[in-house]
Each structure stands twice: as structure tokens, then as C-alpha cells.
Amino acid sequence: MPLTYKKQNGQLVWVQNPFSGTVTYFTDIHKKQSGFRRPTVAPASQAPDWQAAEAARLAELESARRDCPFCPGNEEQTTAEVMRVVPEAVEGCAATGSPWLIRAFTNLFPRVPESCTGGRNESYVVVEDPRHFADDARHHDELLYTALLPLTQFRAVLYADIEVARLAYSNPSVRDVLIRKNQGRESGASQPHLHNQVIGADQVFPPVVQERHRLTEEPGLWRDILAFVEDEGFVISKRDGGLLYFCPFGVFPRSYEVVFPDVEGRLTEVPRSVVDSFAALLHEVLGLLGPLPLDYEIHDAPGLPLHAHLCARYYPYSNIGGTLNLPSDLATTLRPTRR
Ligand SMILES: [Zn+2]
Ligand SMILES: [Zn+2]
């Protein structure tokens, strides 16, 4: 039995990650009362000078944009641009007056040292939109987030990532390229302006090696996982042979996967129709989570079904001794914010 889990009275008790061995227990952890309380904030004062307060707030937003290296007008603050997508190329994108809609350049701080990749920096940043804040933002934390982009633009972002990945693969010392996003400070994003990363490395990334190794041992493993999530009611969406589902043994308590079980290989080589459907499923799960801090990572390699892991970082969790806890009534609350 490749996928190990225990059920009692029709309810999942635990399930083990077939790749890493981590165990998730389904418990009543969600019923615990939090002892943390937010400080009570006094209601906004009826300051007679609210106009001045509003002006100060807008000036603050303007100054954040002025200081942001990813905002239009500050292009010289980044490294040299390697590609851009103009707004005219993407149907349905917001009109902003910026000459570019999507823009890529090398990361000032390579994630894999240049000395590992033939002396060339193969870590790239792809800025997904010229806007820093969500439309009509009044506060610093009302940032634009990826789910606010129309699907046409999100797809264009993924194609931009793929073009940048091709550039990285043109370096003979690059053996693997990872497309990865961090949304929100809590997930490790250092810049608030909407962006993702494309990272070329001199070796295949360890989780991909681990997944490939397990699939060689158990070729039917992913099929078993899909049958399991289907049985448990964890599948959220299906499209053109691809599935989006809640993964109960992800790295974080709210983890999702997008998988195309019949497609294998790099995104730079799969048909456009697959990339389009893959983008649509990824966009759908981003829509479920909205502005929550999250990360996703695409695993595309020969010998592996094309897939992405997405982890929401917002939900409290308990991680003890290589185990996670998930609420026992999870399947009933799987689509909390679905529109
Ligand atoms: Zn910005
Ligand atoms: Zn993976």
C-alpha cells in the first residue's frame, strides 16, 4: 500500500506524506481558543482635520511607490531588464500608463551562487504588474496581490516565467530551473511589489529528486494519491486532464496541488494548451486564498507529472516531531472564500 493512512468511522485519522514521510493528524486543534488577543484599536477619531489626515496617508503611499525599485519610473534601480511584456499584448489588463505590464531582470541577490552556474547569475525576478497597491488603496497593507490579476495576465506572467526559464537553460551549467512565488511578508517575500522568481541551479532541486525517486519505486503512486483525494472530497477543480486539490500532507497545514498526471517534462517543452490549463488551475487556487500570505513552487521535470505545490501561510498550525495537525472537519470547510 503506497499511500498510508488510517480511517476510523469513515473519518481520516492520519495520512502520511508518501515522499517525505511526514504525518498529518486530523484533530480538533481548530477548537482551541487562542490566548492571543489583538490590541483593541480605538475607533478612528472624528478628527476635524480628516482631510489633512487623508492627504498624509496618500502622500505616504506615494512615497512607498517612489522608493520601490519595482515600480515604473524606478527601472534604473534594478539590474538590466531581460524581457518585458507590454500592456497591449494582454487582453483585459488594467490601464495604468506604464510602458510595461510584466518585466524581468536578474535578482540582485542570486539564490544560487553565481560560481555554481558558470559565473552567470541565474536568479531572476519577474514583476507581475506595474501597480504597487491595489486599486483605491488607502493603507500600506492594501497591496496588489496575484489573485487580483485577470486570468489573461496571470497566464502572460507564466509565459514570461517560461521565457526566462529558457534563458536560464541556455546556460550549460544550469541543470534545473524553479518557478516560485512568495506572497506576503509572512511567506518570506522581501519586496511588497507583486513579483515571482525564476531560479536556475547547478543541480536538480532536492524535492524533485525525492519525488522522482519515490515514483521510480512506486510508478502508480501519484495515481493512488489522486484516487485518495477524490475519495476524500478534496478535489476542488478539474480541467483538461489537470486537477486542483487540497493536499492533506503538504508542508503547511493548508496546502494545495495542481497536477497533470499525464503530462511530464519541463514547462519550456509542454504544449501551450497544457500551460494555459495549468495557469487556469493555479489562478483558481490563488483566487481561493486571495491576499493571504502564501507560496507556490512549480515542479516540472522529466520523469515527473507536471505539478505545483501551493502553501497558505496564514492558518495556525502545530508542527511537532515531523507531524502536522489539521482540523478534523476540514473537508467541510475546504472552500471558505470561494466565490
Ligand atoms: Zn512598487
Ligand atoms: Zn513536487
Side-chain angles (χ1 to χ4, degrees):
M1 188 66 194
L3 190 67
T4 36
Y5 57 90
K6 177 185 162 96
K7 287 184 90 160
Q8 202 165 33
N9 306 324
Q11 293 267 355
L12 267 180
V13 179
W14 57 261
V15 55
Q16 183 170 37
N17 182 315
F19 300 104
S20 67
T22 305
V23 170
T24 299
Y25 289 104
F26 289 81
T27 64
D28 287 338
I29 192 164
H30 55 298
K31 294 180 182 162
K32 276 201 320 191
Q33 282 264 338
S34 171
F36 291 91
R37 291 276 176 271
R38 281 174 186 233
T40 321
V41 180
S45 71
Q46 304 298 318
D49 204 6
W50 65 270
Q51 270 179 322
E54 183 73 5
R57 210 158 31 216
L58 291 177
E60 207 180 289
L61 296 192
E62 191 43 50
S63 117
R65 278 187 282 252
R66 215 173 27 241
D67 295 342
C68 169
F70 296 175
C71 268
N74 296 341
E75 288 83 354
E76 78 290 348
Q77 290 182 28
T78 69
T79 59
E81 183 172 304
V82 296
M83 67 90 66
R84 68 164 57 185
V85 177
V86 295
E88 297 73 35
V90 178
E91 207 179 306
C93 67
T96 64
S98 161
W100 52 265
L101 179 70
I102 300 164
R103 186 170 176 269
F105 40 87
T106 50
N107 197 328
L108 209 49
F109 305 99
R111 303 302 293 254
V112 172
E114 285 161 289
S115 57
C116 299
T117 48
R120 207 169 99 174
N121 176 355
E122 295 296 356
S123 299
Y124 301 87
V125 173
V126 178
V127 176
E128 302 176 15
D129 194 282
R131 289 169 294 170
H132 188 106
F133 292 105
D135 295 340
D136 304 322
R138 296 178 67 236
H139 295 280
H140 256 294
D141 54 359
E142 292 170 25
L143 297 165
L144 188 70
Y145 50 90
T146 304
L148 291 177
L149 303 182
L151 175 57
T152 46
Q153 186 171 342
F154 182 68
R155 211 188 288 144
V157 166
L158 190 56
Y159 279 108
D161 292 339
I162 292 171
E163 196 177 321
V164 174
R166 280 203 183 94
L167 177 68
Y169 277 127
S170 71
N171 177 343
S173 29
V174 168
R175 287 193 55 214
D176 198 9
V177 176
L178 185 72
I179 296 173
R180 170 174 182 98
K181 179 177 180 71
N182 293 83
Q183 173 171 296
R185 183 186 298 169
E186 298 84 345
S187 94
S190 55
Q191 286 293 337
H193 195 123
L194 199 55
H195 68 283
N196 68 59
Q197 297 184 56
V198 179
I199 303 160
D202 55 331
Q203 46 191 315
V204 179
F205 288 93
V208 171
V209 173
Q210 190 180 41
E211 286 167 346
R212 205 151 47 187
H213 177 69
R214 283 290 288 127
L215 283 174
T216 312
E217 289 174 345
E218 304 251 15
L221 179 56
W222 223 302
R223 294 272 167 205
D224 294 336
I225 295 172
L226 296 179
F228 170 77
V229 292
E230 187 97 59
D231 275 359
E232 294 300 326
F234 292 153
V235 175
I236 295 167
S237 198
K238 292 183 185 178
R239 181 188 280 257
D240 307 322
L243 288 95
L244 157 62
Y245 56 88
F246 172 79
C247 178
F249 45 77
V251 178
F252 279 77
R254 293 299 187 286
S255 293
Y256 302 80
E257 285 174 356
V258 171
V259 180
F260 280 72
D262 299 319
V263 178
E264 160 177 320
R266 293 172 174 169
L267 266 182
T268 46
E269 285 153 18
V270 304
R272 280 185 80 90
S273 59
V274 171
V275 179
D276 290 352
S277 307
F278 188 75
L281 288 172
L282 206 46
H283 189 256
E284 184 172 344
V285 65
L286 290 170
L288 285 178
L289 299 167
L292 295 186
L294 57 85
D295 69 88
Y296 70 72
E297 184 160 303
I298 298 173
H299 291 169
D300 56 333
L304 264 192
L306 171 65
H307 66 279
H309 304 274
L310 186 142
C311 300
R313 302 290 188 90
Y314 174 75
Y315 296 94
Y317 74 107
S318 151
N319 181 339
I320 48 156
T323 73
L324 282 179
N325 281 153
L326 274 180
S328 50
D329 61 353
L330 182 94
T332 60
T333 59
L334 211 50
R335 299 170 179 82
T337 58
R338 202 166 187 197
R339 282 156 296 192

